[in-house]
Amino acid sequence: MMGDWWSALQTLGECRENEPMARHTTLGVGGATRWFFRPQNRAAMITALQHIPFDVPLLPLGRGSNLLVPDAGFAGVVVDVSDLNDIRVQAQSLSAGCGVRMSRVARQCAEHALTGLEFMATVPGDVGGGVAMNAGAFGQQVSDCLSEIELLTRQGEVRTIDAAQLQMAYRHTQLPSGSLVLSAAFTLQKDDAEAVRERMREMRAKRGATQPLELPNCGSVFKNPQGDHAARLIEAAGLKGLRIGGARISDKHANFIVNEGGAKSSDVLALIRQARETVEQRFGVRLEPEVRALGETL
Ligand SMILES: Cc1cc2nc3c(=O)[nH]c(=O)nc-3n(C[C@H](O)[C@H](O)[C@H](O)COP(=O)(O)OP(=O)(O)OC[C@H]3O[C@@H](n4cnc5c(N)ncnc54)[C@H](O)[C@@H]3O)c2cc1C
């Protein structure tokens, strides 16, 4: 039976078995996924869902910039949506396939003199990952401008959903389990193109000065608790620079964990647990992870 659906997927895109996920996450850690599928386009993605059995777990993958895959890997299908990458701008509306890089959205905004999503110039994920995480920075977030999404349900149905129904909050979006964001539509405001570009330049400069972008990482590991900063708490707990295996709590920014070479997922998880426990003991604040740690209850 397995052969049937897997053979069907091979006519719809690139298929690999036992693909190391360390190649597909910005942290550069994680074991192999049993199946890896990269649909050639949107139609192939929709058809594929009609073939993949319901009992096979499915993981949509953007750029893997917020994902921690365990060393034991993933016993399901990882779907790499990079080729679902159409983008369209009409007056103040921008719509993009889930595989469009957020930096490309930002470039389009600058070209069309649109404001609202400047932060996307500095975040390394895709539109689908950005919606799923309600990504944001510098006082902006996806939910500020998102008008609707197209959702592909696990049953293979495409539904248009109003952003208001997604219960989006700080780094949170409520998506039905097993579903995939196919595309997103944003409503933006007109501005001066040079002013938009200048804000993007300033954001990039700030980020480069404060974050350890020279080493593999997954961005902020923890969400900021109300009225405080996870980085401040981790630093105050004396954990900046702590190393376990090949992973370290960055010396430059305490809410970043960097892979200094040869890190395992278990090293990163051990640092996450230690930071969480120490901060809770010292300050009574329970940090909530922002990174999606697959199969782990943190
Ligand atoms: C250097 C660096 C800086 C960062 N800075 C920021 C920042 O300023 N602000 C911020 O918010 N984040 C930041 N991040 C984290 C990350 O870039 C964002 O969370 C981003 O939105 C993740 O997008 P992605 O495409 O890489 O998603 P992935 O990491 O591939 O996936 C993340 C989650 O989204 C799900 N997902 C992905 N695509 C889809 C889809 N099409 N449909 C449904 N679910 C999907 C995945 O299954 C997974 O659960 C940073 C990361 C790095 C490495």
Side-chain angles (χ1 to χ4, degrees):
M1 273 313 273
M2 188 281 271
D4 293 341
W5 68 266
W6 188 234
S7 309
L9 259 56
Q10 281 160 33
T11 65
L12 298 168
E14 189 185 335
C15 290
R16 294 185 218 159
E17 290 188 58
N18 302 315
E19 173 72 3
M21 285 304 291
R23 289 187 193 153
H24 300 280
T25 58
T26 55
L27 252 174
V29 304
T33 175
R34 175 70 184 85
W35 297 284
F36 183 89
F37 172 57
R38 180 170 169 168
Q40 56 210 11
N41 53 34
R42 174 194 155 96
M45 177 69 247
I46 297 169
T47 308
L49 268 205
Q50 290 151 13
H51 291 287
I52 302 170
F54 286 122
D55 59 353
V56 173
L58 189 137
L59 179 77
L61 173 72
R63 300 290 155 172
S65 63
N66 199 50
L67 202 57
L68 182 59
V69 178
D71 297 317
F74 178 65
V77 190
V78 167
V79 181
D80 174 347
V81 297
S82 309
D83 293 325
L84 279 66
N85 57 8
D86 290 337
I87 188 162
R88 202 155 32 97
V89 181
Q90 244 182 342
Q92 289 176 223
S93 303
L94 181 152
S95 48
C98 55
V100 172
R101 283 180 186 260
M102 286 193 262
S103 56
R104 191 168 154 219
V105 171
R107 279 200 300 280
Q108 286 290 312
C109 287
E111 211 164 286
H112 293 268
L114 294 169
T115 183
L117 294 174
E118 284 88 337
F119 80 94
M120 284 196 177
T122 70
V123 181
D126 278 353
V127 163
V131 170
M133 295 304 305
N134 192 15
F138 303 104
Q140 299 177 329
Q141 56 185 352
V142 164
S143 56
D144 297 343
C145 306
L146 186 69
S147 43
E148 62 182 33
I149 62 165
E150 278 184 308
L151 191 80
L152 179 60
T153 66
R154 190 63 177 84
Q155 289 71 30
E157 242 182 278
V158 179
R159 289 199 198 142
T160 300
I161 300 192
D162 198 279
Q165 286 175 257
L166 299 173
Q167 296 168 46
M168 295 173 87
Y170 169 56
R171 303 296 171 269
H172 172 83
T173 301
Q174 196 68 48
L175 293 174
S177 153
S179 64
L180 186 142
V181 175
L182 267 184
S183 70
F186 300 91
T187 305
L188 300 150
Q189 302 301 312
K190 273 281 174 197
D191 196 357
D192 172 64
E194 191 42 42
V196 172
R197 284 202 179 88
E198 181 53 27
R199 281 194 291 274
M200 291 178 187
R201 277 194 288 271
E202 280 170 16
M203 289 175 184
R204 274 196 218 98
K206 268 192 198 153
R207 199 174 271 274
T210 56
Q211 298 181 355
L213 304 182
E214 60 289 351
L215 286 170
N217 69 77
C218 61
S220 295
V221 171
F222 295 102
K223 297 182 188 183
N224 286 322
Q226 189 90 37
D228 208 337
H229 289 277
R232 190 197 73 75
L233 290 161
I234 296 166
E235 189 172 350
L239 297 172
K240 211 174 185 182
L242 179 71
R243 184 182 166 116
I244 296 183
R248 188 190 291 279
I249 295 182
S250 166
D251 287 311
K252 195 167 178 184
H253 191 306
N255 198 19
F256 275 61
I257 291 178
V258 291
N259 179 354
E260 293 192 316
K264 290 188 171 5
S265 195
S266 55
D267 301 333
V268 177
L269 279 169
L271 283 174
I272 292 176
R273 292 205 168 94
Q274 184 152 346
R276 199 177 199 194
E277 279 163 26
T278 312
V279 165
E280 190 166 22
Q281 278 163 11
R282 293 280 305 275
F283 309 112
V285 178
R286 189 155 175 82
L287 294 175
E288 198 188 323
E290 179 168 323
V291 61
R292 293 273 176 98
L294 214 58
E296 291 291 329
T297 324
L298 290 169

